[in-house]
Amino acid sequence: MIGAADHDLLLPRDGWPLPGGGGVGGPHRTEVQAMHDALLADGHRIVSSPIDGPFGRTFTFADPDGYHVTVHDRA
């Protein structure tokens, strides 16, 4: 086990790398298109434009830390 004081030994010297793949799942929303439009208008980076897929209306955006967040309207 690594103590709290030693955690800096595990961190990259130049900061955290951007994630490559993302996580499993994403928020389930009912107003996906409106959320996309608001994020785009506010200048957020849209990674994939809205499409109609197996989980309903779906799109992916990058959060301020660079993580990709996929939003869909059907569980």
Side-chain angles (χ1 to χ4, degrees):
M1 184 170 166
I2 297 174
D6 297 327
H7 80 283
D8 287 339
L9 298 174
L10 301 177
L11 301 178
R13 293 283 179 217
D14 58 349
W16 290 100
L18 288 177
V24 175
H28 172 233
R29 305 286 300 222
T30 56
E31 64 285 342
V32 169
Q33 188 65 52
M35 183 179 183
H36 166 271
D37 296 345
L39 287 168
L40 185 63
D42 285 343
H44 294 275
R45 184 168 67 97
I46 303 299
V47 177
S48 65
S49 297
I51 61 165
D52 292 317
F55 297 103
R57 195 76 173 151
T58 303
F59 78 96
T60 303
F61 69 96
D63 76 4
D65 293 320
Y67 290 93
H68 292 182
V69 179
T70 298
V71 182
H72 55 88
D73 67 2
R74 207 176 318 147

